[in-house]
């Protein structure tokens, strides 16, 4: 079977999700057992895989799908590779995200036993998880590691607005600034420190302003950048990346958390070392 099973999602039409997409990308070592659920580290390792390219094309046209929209795709739609690309991305997201990993695997086992798909409703309907999905889709690429890139559960346990210093690691993705920002108020974001972005062919050292040797997403590598997470789960606030650098003023339109990271290609984070020290101070 190809793994497509119908299920009901509360308040929407009958849906289908090919959960077997977890096995679509795998690695078979010369010795030992096959490894499933592998995210392609580069094009050379998966030369015939076109799913990431399809997702990137959808993203460039601002045609990304929500989790529920992916699950709403009709079984007939899987005659087209785009539907499989989205399903593959969603299955990987649910299977690897720490907060859904165990639950999703239990659901998969239940599907194999012919049980109800109803528990999947909770995984798809959670508002905070829907925003995590949007951040995931916005950054997907070869070598993307969602456990390294996305905020973790403890990142959302922040205090009220106050000046404090937070260490931001160069080898991680989005990390919390540790404070809840109030909508309409201006905040000064300051950063200091040095990080190493690569060691070969020679060390690339950067400070928070970044280095113009190379650019990612239109900004210098090593530059401190941010992305806002609103407290209101139903918010439609802008999720674009904000350039900060050594010092910048940020004024959110609503209350929430500013996440920051050291700007670098998502598939090149693992060899980075060092950290920036970032502070957030409310302007009078």
């Amino acid at each position: 079977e190809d793994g497509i099973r119908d299920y009901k999602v509360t308040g929407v039409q009958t849906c289908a999700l090919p959960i077997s997409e977890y096995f679509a990308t795998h690695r078979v070592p010369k010795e030992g057992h096959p490894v499933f659920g592998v995210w392609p580290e580069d094009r050379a390792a998966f030369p015939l895989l076109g799913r990431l390219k399809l997702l990137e094309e959808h993203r460039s046209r601002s045609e990304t799908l929500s989790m529920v929209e992916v699950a709403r795709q009709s079984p007939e739609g899987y005659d087209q590779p785009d539907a499989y690309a989205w399903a593959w991305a969603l299955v990987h997201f649910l299977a690897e995200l720490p907060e859904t990993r165990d639950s999703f695997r239990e659901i998969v086992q239940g599907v194999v036993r012919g049980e109800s798909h109803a528990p999947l409703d909770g995984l798809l309907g959670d508002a905070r998880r829907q925003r995590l999905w949007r951040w995931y889709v916005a950054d997907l690429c070869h070598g993307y590691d969602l456990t390294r890139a996305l905020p973790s559960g403890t990142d959302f346990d922040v205090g009220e607005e106050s000046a404090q210093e937070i260490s931001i690691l160069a080898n991680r993705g989005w990390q919390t600034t540790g404070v809840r920002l109030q909508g309409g108020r201006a905040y000064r974001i300051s950063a200091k420190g040095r990080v190493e972005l690569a060691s070969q062919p020679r060390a690339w050292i950067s400070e928070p302003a970044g280095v113009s040797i190379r650019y990612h997403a239109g900004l210098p590598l090593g530059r401190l950048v941010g992305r806002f997470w609103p407290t209101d789960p139903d918010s439609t606030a802008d999720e674009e990346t904000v350039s900060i650098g050594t010092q910048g003023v940020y004024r959110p339109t609503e209350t929430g958390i500013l996440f920051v990271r050291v700007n670098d290609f998502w598939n090149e984070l693992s060899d980075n070392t060092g950290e920036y020290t970032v502070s957030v101070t409310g302007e009078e």
Side-chain angles (χ1 to χ4, degrees):
E1 297 182 4
D2 64 4
I4 297 180
R5 303 294 183 95
D6 289 340
Y7 62 87
K8 292 284 187 178
V9 176
T10 303
V12 301
Q13 65 191 54
T14 300
C15 305
L17 180 68
I19 57 175
S20 60
E21 283 302 291
Y22 181 72
F23 304 96
T25 43
H26 55 275
R27 185 174 290 109
V28 182
K30 293 182 178 179
E31 297 182 2
H33 299 288
V35 180
F36 298 102
V38 173
W39 190 260
E41 63 270 27
D42 54 47
R43 297 183 191 278
F46 293 83
L48 301 180
L49 182 71
R51 296 180 184 189
L52 265 174
K53 181 179 180 181
L54 289 173
L55 294 174
E56 290 168 353
E57 290 173 351
H58 277 258
R59 185 169 61 199
S60 69
R61 300 193 299 266
S62 299
E63 296 175 353
T64 57
L65 302 182
S66 69
M67 290 193 292
V68 172
E69 287 172 333
V70 174
R72 280 183 178 179
Q73 298 177 114
S74 67
E76 294 77 15
Y78 288 99
D79 290 337
Q80 302 299 319
D82 299 64
Y84 273 110
W86 281 109
W88 170 68
L90 177 56
V91 167
H92 182 85
F93 176 80
L94 296 174
E96 298 301 324
L97 190 69
E99 66 185 61
T100 60
R101 183 188 299 136
D102 293 341
S103 297
F104 184 69
R105 290 178 181 176
E106 290 177 8
I107 290 171
V108 170
Q109 292 300 317
V111 170
V112 173
R113 295 190 297 266
E115 298 173 1
S116 169
H117 295 73
L120 189 59
D121 186 8
L123 298 189
L124 299 178
D126 180 82
R128 187 177 70 89
R129 196 166 300 130
Q130 290 172 356
R131 186 173 294 276
L132 279 175
W133 162 261
R134 293 198 294 274
W135 283 29
Y136 163 79
V137 170
D139 298 321
L140 278 184
C141 63
H142 283 86
Y144 182 86
D145 179 355
L146 66 82
T147 59
R148 182 186 297 275
L150 292 176
S152 66
T154 57
D155 286 335
F156 299 95
D157 300 330
V158 299
E160 295 303 318
E161 54 177 310
S162 62
Q164 57 178 269
E165 293 188 338
I166 297 291
S167 294
I168 302 300
L169 301 176
N171 63 357
R172 291 291 309 278
W174 297 111
Q175 300 161 70
T176 182
T177 52
V179 293
R180 181 174 289 104
L181 308 185
Q182 299 300 314
R185 184 177 182 185
Y187 294 84
R188 183 165 299 278
I189 317 296
S190 302
K192 59 185 178 182
R194 304 182 78 193
V195 299
E196 182 176 298
L197 303 177
S199 57
Q200 299 295 330
R202 61 184 179 83
W204 285 14
I205 306 298
S206 177
E207 295 184 354
V211 291
S212 56
I213 299 173
R214 194 177 176 205
Y215 285 71
H216 169 64
L219 295 170
L221 257 60
R223 188 171 182 82
L224 185 73
V225 297
R227 185 179 285 177
F228 187 67
W229 184 288
T231 301
D232 182 359
D234 298 320
S235 170
T236 58
D238 188 2
E239 297 178 340
E240 291 185 1
T241 299
V242 178
S243 176
I244 298 173
T246 303
Q247 190 168 131
V249 175
Y250 181 70
R251 187 189 298 271
T253 58
E254 54 188 291
T255 299
I257 306 168
L258 180 66
F259 286 85
V260 296
R261 80 179 191 98
V262 178
N263 189 47
D264 197 0
F265 291 87
W266 289 101
N267 58 351
E268 297 181 9
L269 293 182
S270 60
D271 64 346
N272 293 351
T273 59
E275 61 187 45
Y276 292 153
T277 300
V278 177
S279 62
V280 180
T281 307
E283 298 275 70
E284 297 299 331

